[in-house]
Amino acid sequence: MTRSWRFGLLCSQTGVTASVENTQLNASLLAIEQLNEAGGVAGRLIEPVIHDPASNPRQFAAVAERMLAREQIRLIFGCYMSSTRKALLPLVEAYRGLLFYPTLYEGFEYSRHCIYTGAAPNQNSMQLASYLFATYGKRLLLVGSNYIYPYESNRIMTELVHQAGGVVLDEIYVPLTPHRSDFDTAITRIGRTRPDVIFSTVVGEGTAMFYEAYHKAGFDAASMPIASLTTSEAEVAEMSAGAARGHITASPFFDILPHRSAVDFVASYRARFGSAAPVPAAAEAAYFQVILAARAIARVGSDDPALIQAALPDHEIEAPQGFVRIDRDNNHCFLWPRVGRLGGNGSFEIVWESDGQVKPDPYRVTQTLDG
Ligand code: ACM
């Protein structure tokens, strides 16, 4: 074979969101290994180039610049926190590269140099809100990590609560890298106000601290759950089963989905990375976006970002979550919204799922919960 395709994998192996970003790194590598075992793409193997940006926006920007300016990389895969994506995108744009971003986020963004394969708010927040309002009630208390995604995601949830005639009782932020005691205020205010649901936009290491503190305070998840978009299998693996039980997450993928493409993906991931390895939606998107990129390279015979960006839309592939494709209108992905509840053994059970793919609407042009 001749020269390889160089894919830049930019996933934190250390720092506050390392546990979930390591699953994104693993899943990207799994997809690359499977493609290479099948003969590579358009006559060449894919070579992963890996750096650890340590959950730090400045390091994301520095490493991205190194990849684009000095390491002959045009396609970058990764980023979890929106603060890291926002730090890196101006560089990707300046060097005319292409970022594949495999994480749910707050929406209200478009770049010709970014392909968004995680859920936009109309593919997770809206479905979660409908489920919560119908099942538990419309009095919410919001707890988040102190950075852009939680602020924006809470703004959207607040709009949904108000549209439904509900009330937001409180909005509390903890440091991104918290200590256990940083959750004391949230626990006290939850005890005082007794909301119907807590909406958590806490990310990374703080997630297990928050759920453990909630459990220790004796709150009952069956009547007053924590609901989240960022508490995935990766964060649940860091908490006790008792602390996890009864809480709710909305996501396009859960590792217990029963259909063939999901079962095969989870089995391959665990065969490669450990039989008990958590396999969250962030990993699933990291996996299928590598395949989407490879299919586009095969079609155009180049990794030129402009050609890839033009070739990506409208080509459907069977991802672990179901069939997915990039929307020509906005570079985001058609996805399958689902809502899961954590059972006694620390794994999710599906309590609601969409009966079809949902078109991404990152600017929430459609405003109503039944739209
Ligand atoms: C996120 O920061 N997009 C989870």
Side-chain angles (χ1 to χ4, degrees):
M1 290 218 185
T2 52
R3 219 159 52 77
S4 52
W5 306 109
R6 287 165 69 75
F7 281 18
L9 306 187
L10 202 41
C11 307
S12 303
Q13 295 160 57
T14 55
V16 69
T17 48
S19 58
V20 66
E21 291 193 59
N22 271 308
T23 73
Q24 295 182 310
L25 176 61
N26 290 345
S28 309
L29 287 171
L30 179 66
I32 291 171
E33 286 166 11
Q34 290 178 348
L35 288 159
N36 284 343
E37 274 160 29
V41 181
R44 299 189 200 173
L45 295 179
I46 302 171
E47 180 189 350
V49 179
I50 301 170
H51 293 291
D52 175 13
S55 309
N56 178 318
R58 263 194 235 121
Q59 290 195 45
F60 267 87
V63 174
E65 181 148 39
R66 178 165 144 198
M67 285 179 163
L68 294 158
R70 301 209 302 271
E71 297 186 325
Q72 299 89 44
I73 288 167
R74 306 206 273 184
L75 307 180
I76 295 180
F77 299 79
C79 287
Y80 180 81
M81 282 187 280
S82 291
S83 48
T84 63
R85 185 193 69 256
K86 287 201 182 278
L88 176 148
L89 259 185
L91 290 156
V92 178
E93 289 173 350
Y95 285 96
R96 302 189 186 286
L98 190 59
L99 170 68
F100 287 79
Y101 177 57
T103 308
L104 72 109
Y105 86 113
E106 62 281 2
F108 295 89
E109 189 181 284
Y110 168 81
S111 168
R112 189 151 11 120
H113 296 269
C114 189
I115 303 296
Y116 304 79
T117 57
N122 79 303
Q123 296 166 315
N124 56 11
S125 299
M126 289 174 76
Q127 294 76 8
L128 180 63
S130 293
Y131 179 78
L132 296 175
F133 300 164
T135 312
Y136 300 101
K138 300 175 189 167
R139 297 168 58 256
L140 267 66
L141 184 145
L142 317 181
V143 182
S145 299
N146 197 4
Y147 78 102
I148 184 168
Y149 159 74
Y151 310 150
E152 288 300 301
S153 188
N154 280 337
R155 182 181 60 74
I156 291 163
M157 185 55 79
T158 300
E159 277 176 21
L160 295 171
V161 169
H162 289 166
Q163 275 171 22
V167 59
V168 171
L169 299 169
D170 215 336
E171 183 168 343
I172 300 161
Y173 291 94
V174 294
L176 179 57
T177 309
H179 296 292
R180 287 185 194 285
S181 58
D182 288 319
F183 291 99
D184 291 352
T185 305
I187 296 297
T188 305
R189 292 204 210 158
I190 291 165
R192 203 178 296 144
T193 54
R194 293 278 162 179
D196 297 327
V197 183
I198 292 82
F199 177 53
S200 170
T201 48
V202 175
V203 301
E205 278 170 13
T207 308
M209 287 181 204
F210 181 36
Y211 285 58
E212 293 291 354
Y214 194 85
H215 185 50
K216 196 163 153 220
F219 297 139
D220 179 14
S223 57
M224 183 175 70
I226 303 173
S228 177
L229 309 170
T230 47
T231 302
S232 73
E233 291 84 344
E235 290 76 19
V236 171
E238 295 175 338
M239 57 181 89
S240 62
R245 185 181 307 124
H247 297 300
I248 307 289
T249 294
S251 171
F253 177 82
F254 291 97
D255 66 3
I256 45 68
L257 289 176
H259 55 265
R260 177 54 46 205
S261 56
V263 170
D264 287 350
F265 167 60
V266 172
S268 317
Y269 187 100
R270 293 203 170 130
R272 175 75 173 77
F273 301 109
S275 57
V279 193
E284 189 251 0
Y287 176 80
F288 79 69
Q289 68 175 13
V290 167
I291 297 169
L292 280 174
R295 297 273 164 84
I297 291 175
R299 281 197 299 281
V300 300
S302 163
D303 67 350
D304 180 320
L307 296 180
I308 297 296
Q309 194 266 332
L312 274 167
D314 305 335
H315 285 272
E316 200 160 64
I317 63 164
E318 187 171 15
Q321 68 179 272
F323 283 90
V324 298
R325 70 192 147 95
I326 301 300
D327 189 350
R328 188 170 291 284
D329 289 347
N330 53 41
N331 277 3
H332 290 60
C333 198
F334 281 76
L335 297 173
W336 297 78
R338 296 180 166 99
V339 179
R341 183 175 51 218
L342 283 155
N345 59 358
S347 62
F348 284 100
E349 51 197 79
I350 304 297
V351 291
W352 179 87
E353 64 189 322
S354 159
D355 53 14
Q357 287 174 322
V358 171
K359 178 180 163 67
D361 180 14
Y363 286 88
R364 285 197 63 230
V365 175
T366 303
Q367 288 285 332
T368 65
L369 280 176
D370 24 81

